[in-house]
Amino acid sequence: GDFYQHAATEASQATLASVSPVFAVMKLDKEGNTTYFEKKKTELYQELGLQARDLRFQHLMSIATRNNRIIMRMEFLKAVITPEFLLILDYRNLNLEHWLFNELASQLAGEGQLVTYSLPFEFRAIEAILQYRISKLQGRLNTLQPQILETLEALVDPKLLSVDRSKLHILLQNGKSLSELETDLKVFKETILEILDEEELIEELCLSKWTDPQVFEESTSGIDHAEEMELLLENYYRQAEDLANEARELRVLIDDSESIIFINLDSHRNVMMRLNLQLTMGTFSLSLFGLIGVAFGMNLESSLEEDPRIFWLVTGIMFLGSGLIWRRLLSFLGRHLEPPLPPHVPAVLKKSQPAATRAEIKNNLKVETFGLSRSTLTNQ
């Protein structure tokens, strides 16, 4: 029985190893040297001292530590950081080739613009990956911003009587992309904030502090690696917060522009309704005095049809009466549609008001007016 159970276990392990996925791995060391190889998932996590669940990368954005290893996932980028080298898994991606082959090696070797070049290797690796992610988010925002502003400028033109549906479709697509960008920025900030809220997690990210005694002695003599790691994460958290603020301003601008578009459409709709009402009034006036012509058009005999001046007299009365009635209706319409006048401020109150108070009220009014019309002026 024991022999049969042992044989079945070996057979299941062999079957699992044969169907396990194969990672295309890119390995970079401290000097920036790069090697490429393929390795099965079971062999890779055994060599790294990890568990199988550690290399599943279930979340699109995650930073975790396990057995003195840092496991990072930044959307398409999957990385494992050790104190000696950096592993990029499944690197064969078109979105990563330029960064992997042209920038990452020099950054890890300390030749780039990273501020952590004098710190241990894991600092440079973490900063390079975070910088790559922030640059991608910044690029997406830089692509969306001019497109959204150009579309909004075309839509909020007050001279337009209708809205171009193609522009609305473009705005809808850009708004969807902006929502996805806001979600990615939110996930990025939450992931970093979870680490910043826990001092133990920050300590675990400092791998060399626990593996290299010399590094630990340097940290106790004045260089606090945990504090440096916290500053590093806070820096990229602030950058993500700035990008989120810019995306939020674009979202507010879209909402304000939608209000302006509706106001313009309502204004044109009101003009058309007023014109329709005026034409209806004119038709009513003509119809009212047109009854005189109808009366003379009946086959009734009277002495009036024999006089040649009656035609011009009746016609003049009809047009004159219609015009007077139409004018009267238009004046009635104008009185009821005009906005009310602002209340009159007595001159006594103006003279008795101190100069400082008037200046303060004037400044407050300027601030309120600027706050209410800022988006409208920007769009126009």
Side-chain angles (χ1 to χ4, degrees):
D2 295 339
F3 176 77
Y4 176 77
Q5 184 177 4
H6 180 69
T9 303
E10 290 183 351
S12 62
Q13 290 179 353
T15 304
L16 181 61
S18 62
V19 298
S20 62
V22 177
F23 283 128
V25 183
M26 179 179 182
K27 182 178 180 181
L28 301 100
D29 57 13
K30 297 180 179 181
E31 287 75 23
N33 300 322
T34 306
T35 56
Y36 309 92
F37 57 90
E38 293 184 356
K39 186 160 292 190
K40 292 183 178 180
K41 180 179 179 180
T42 53
E43 299 176 356
L44 183 61
Y45 71 71
Q46 289 176 1
E47 290 182 4
L48 295 175
L50 302 175
Q51 300 294 329
R53 62 178 179 270
D54 297 329
L55 299 182
R56 290 175 183 171
F57 300 101
Q58 298 177 352
H59 303 284
L60 291 178
M61 172 73 185
S62 62
I63 303 175
T65 56
R66 171 83 66 174
N67 195 18
N68 207 31
R69 303 285 188 268
I70 301 175
I71 306 166
M72 298 185 66
R73 171 75 183 269
M74 297 289 170
E75 199 174 9
F76 299 109
L77 179 61
K78 306 172 185 178
V80 178
I81 303 174
T82 71
E84 294 81 18
F85 55 84
L86 166 65
L87 298 180
I88 304 295
L89 309 181
D90 293 335
Y91 67 91
R92 294 170 181 171
N93 191 302
L94 296 177
N95 297 327
L96 301 176
E97 284 185 352
H98 176 75
W99 175 70
L100 288 175
F101 297 108
N102 299 331
E103 300 179 11
L104 181 58
S106 60
Q107 290 177 348
L108 295 179
E111 299 175 1
Q113 298 179 354
L114 302 184
V115 298
T116 55
Y117 63 91
S118 60
L119 293 172
F121 175 77
E122 66 269 14
F123 283 80
R124 300 197 297 272
I126 292 175
E127 184 173 11
I129 295 175
L130 293 179
Q131 188 183 60
Y132 164 77
R133 182 58 176 166
I134 283 292
S135 63
K136 283 294 182 182
L137 296 174
Q138 180 71 56
R140 290 168 57 185
L141 181 61
N142 293 339
T143 303
L144 283 175
Q145 190 171 14
Q147 296 178 0
I148 292 176
L149 294 179
E150 182 181 358
T151 306
L152 292 179
E153 185 178 0
L155 288 175
V156 299
D157 189 358
K159 298 180 181 179
L160 296 178
L161 298 178
S162 61
V163 179
D164 190 355
R165 293 186 177 181
S166 61
K167 296 290 185 181
L168 286 179
H169 180 71
I170 294 174
L171 183 62
L172 180 63
Q173 296 296 328
N174 291 334
K176 182 178 179 181
S177 301
L178 183 62
S179 300
E180 295 176 354
L181 176 61
E182 290 177 336
T183 302
D184 293 341
L185 287 170
K186 181 181 178 182
V187 173
F188 183 88
K189 292 193 303 179
E190 289 178 352
T191 303
I192 294 182
L193 191 60
E194 289 178 359
I195 300 176
L196 292 175
D197 291 339
E198 299 291 337
E199 296 183 1
E200 296 180 357
L201 296 178
I202 298 176
E203 291 281 351
E204 291 177 358
L205 292 178
C206 305
L207 304 180
S208 300
K209 184 176 180 179
W210 311 108
T211 57
D212 191 352
Q214 183 179 359
V215 172
F216 183 78
E217 292 177 0
E218 292 179 357
S219 63
T220 56
S221 63
I223 302 177
D224 191 348
H225 287 177
E227 184 177 351
E228 294 291 337
M229 182 63 71
E230 183 177 2
L231 293 175
L232 172 64
L233 296 177
E234 285 181 351
N235 177 35
Y236 286 96
Y237 179 83
R238 286 195 299 269
Q239 293 186 31
E241 184 68 26
D242 294 338
L243 294 180
N245 291 334
E246 294 182 15
R248 194 178 302 112
E249 290 179 0
L250 276 180
R251 176 64 61 187
V252 173
L253 190 61
I254 292 176
D255 296 339
D256 293 343
S257 300
E258 289 178 354
S259 301
I260 294 175
I261 293 171
F262 291 143
I263 290 173
N264 291 337
L265 293 178
D266 290 340
S267 176
H268 293 299
R269 191 180 297 112
N270 292 337
V271 171
M272 299 303 295
M273 291 176 63
R274 182 166 184 149
L275 178 61
N276 186 22
L277 184 58
Q278 291 175 353
L279 294 176
T280 303
M281 290 179 178
T283 304
F284 170 74
S285 303
L286 290 175
S287 301
L288 182 62
F289 281 87
L291 295 175
I292 301 176
V294 174
F296 278 93
M298 294 187 296
N299 296 326
L300 299 176
E301 295 182 357
S302 63
S303 59
L304 297 176
E305 66 271 7
E306 297 177 357
D307 191 348
R309 294 173 298 179
I310 291 299
F311 172 78
W312 299 108
L313 178 62
V314 172
T315 302
I317 293 174
M318 288 173 56
F319 280 99
L320 181 62
S322 300
L324 292 175
I325 292 296
W326 190 34
R327 186 65 180 175
R328 184 65 178 174
L329 292 175
L330 290 179
S331 62
F332 174 81
L333 177 65
R335 288 197 305 269
H336 285 77
L337 291 182
E338 288 180 357
L341 295 175
H344 177 67
V345 180
V348 178
L349 294 178
K350 293 182 179 180
K351 293 181 180 180
S352 61
Q353 192 176 26
T357 307
R358 291 200 302 268
E360 182 179 358
I361 294 176
K362 185 177 181 180
N363 293 332
N364 292 335
L365 288 176
K366 286 183 178 180
V367 172
E368 293 177 359
T369 305
F370 178 75
L372 291 174
S373 61
R374 178 182 179 183
S375 60
T376 305
L377 291 176
T378 304
N379 294 327
Q380 292 178 355

